[in-house]
Amino acid sequence: MALVTAKELLLSRPPGQAVGAFNVHNMEDVQGVVWAAEELGTPVIVMASESALKYAGVPYIAQLVRTAAEAVSIPIALQLDHGSSFEIAKACIECGFTSVMIDGSRLPFAENAALTRQVVELAHAHGVSVEAELGRVGGKEDDLEVAAQDAFLTNPDEAVEFVRQTGIDVLAPAIGTVHGLYKGEPKLDFARLREIARRVDVPLVLHGGSDLPVDALQEAIRCGIAKVNIGTDLKYAVTNGVRAYLKENPEEYEPRKVFAAGREAAKQLVMEKLRILSREAV
Ligand code: G3H
Ligand code: ZN
């Protein structure tokens, strides 16, 4: 199928389920994610961070994901993840991304809203949907690092105002998750999430979806989360898959065999997560 927007996938998701969104870096990641989704018959969002796009190149990722999506029968969206500037959002829109996330969460409210509004205007003129972050998710994702003392949770009144001022399609609130692995037990503010979901009329995203217990993920979905972002768990799965293969086959030098092990590990991880998000595994 041709790529669709993340907005479309989120608005048409089955009740009580969330759509999985996975960070990719190369062809094997893309195939692992898309093939897992195809096997389960579940739509999926493929995301690339700015660092991943710097590594692979915006057109390479765009073409890889478009090619993978056209070969399957389930709808796939391609999204820029944590774009820090209007320029990177524009580059992705021009290369055929169907969704962009503009992350102005480091900025004061008014500046975040102004930057987001600017991206929304361009994106909507091209039929591209926009996600933005309000509050600040802590932790480390690729080159983006937010120290614990700089992270803060989303104020529900501000969330209402932010959506109104910007015209975004999807909101990423900060409710206590962090990017990367958790130090200690994750503490999610579900009451805050419920209030934001009740007062804001766009789908909500859970960032920092890796390393969370199944119960926490499923409770977040019950409280109104429509999209769950998973990056770190996929990185570990791929790298551990390659590592295990090389441990068993230390003399192997055929890249196809080595990287296929990573691709298979990616596929298994994505299938496991998609089952949790569709609440099959309770
Ligand atoms: O935007 C991407 C996600 O928030 C990834 O977070 O690496 O903790 O899964 P994670
Ligand atoms: Zn994130």
Side-chain angles (χ1 to χ4, degrees):
M1 280 182 73
L3 291 169
V4 300
T5 64
K7 175 185 177 180
E8 206 173 316
L9 292 187
L10 299 180
L11 292 180
S12 61
R13 75 195 189 281
Q17 298 191 15
V19 179
F22 299 89
N23 288 91
V24 301
H25 302 84
N26 55 29
M27 182 192 79
E28 285 77 8
D29 286 353
V30 171
Q31 291 177 331
V33 172
V34 170
W35 293 355
E38 170 80 339
E39 193 157 323
L40 295 178
T42 313
V44 78
I45 299 169
V46 180
M47 302 192 298
S49 68
E50 253 186 82
S51 314
L53 293 171
K54 207 185 284 172
Y55 169 75
V58 175
Y60 282 83
I61 292 287
Q63 292 291 359
L64 280 171
V65 178
R66 188 179 305 131
T67 303
E70 280 168 1
V72 297
S73 53
I74 43 146
I76 309 277
L78 169 59
Q79 179 171 318
L80 163 67
D81 191 36
H82 291 285
S84 64
S85 65
F86 178 79
E87 289 69 30
I88 183 69
K90 183 166 180 276
C92 289
I93 291 166
E94 284 169 354
C95 265
F97 279 55
T98 52
S99 303
V100 291
M101 179 202 182
I102 180 71
D103 181 358
S105 63
R106 66 193 179 281
L107 303 168
F109 180 95
E111 288 171 43
N112 183 0
L115 172 63
T116 301
R117 178 74 217 162
Q118 193 190 9
V119 171
V120 166
E121 273 162 23
L122 179 75
H124 285 182
H126 289 81
V128 167
S129 66
V130 180
E131 173 183 327
E133 180 172 324
L134 186 70
R136 198 139 197 233
V137 175
K140 179 165 166 49
E141 185 187 8
D142 294 340
D143 294 340
L144 173 68
E145 189 161 8
V146 179
Q149 67 270 18
D150 295 327
F152 65 97
L153 305 187
T154 306
N155 174 318
D157 293 332
E158 287 190 354
V160 173
E161 189 52 24
F162 188 75
V163 171
R164 194 190 66 75
Q165 282 186 24
T166 59
I168 51 169
D169 305 289
V170 181
L171 175 70
I175 59 148
T177 55
V178 300
H179 288 130
L181 301 181
Y182 287 83
K183 299 182 182 103
E185 209 187 312
K187 288 191 185 63
L188 274 57
D189 190 339
F190 291 117
R192 182 182 301 263
L193 174 58
R194 271 188 200 281
E195 187 184 348
I196 295 169
R198 184 173 56 78
R199 295 179 54 194
V200 157
D201 61 357
V202 295
L204 302 179
V205 184
L206 189 75
H207 279 251
S210 293
D211 196 28
L212 278 178
V214 172
D215 284 357
L217 281 173
Q218 294 186 339
E219 178 61 11
I221 296 167
R222 273 190 288 273
C223 291
I225 286 294
K227 169 176 179 265
V228 175
N229 285 8
I230 295 174
T232 306
D233 280 348
L234 187 57
K235 288 184 184 179
Y236 273 102
V238 169
T239 307
N240 288 338
V242 167
R243 207 177 268 133
Y245 181 84
L246 286 174
K247 196 170 172 203
E248 257 183 47
N249 305 276
E251 304 302 322
E252 186 57 67
Y253 68 93
E254 179 57 69
R256 286 193 303 276
K257 292 188 180 170
V258 176
F259 298 131
R263 177 172 64 184
E264 181 57 25
K267 185 178 166 202
Q268 294 308 321
L269 184 276
V270 172
M271 286 176 67
E272 179 193 327
K273 297 293 179 183
L274 289 177
R275 287 197 178 101
I276 293 170
L277 303 185
S278 67
R279 312 242 314 261
E280 273 177 43
V282 180

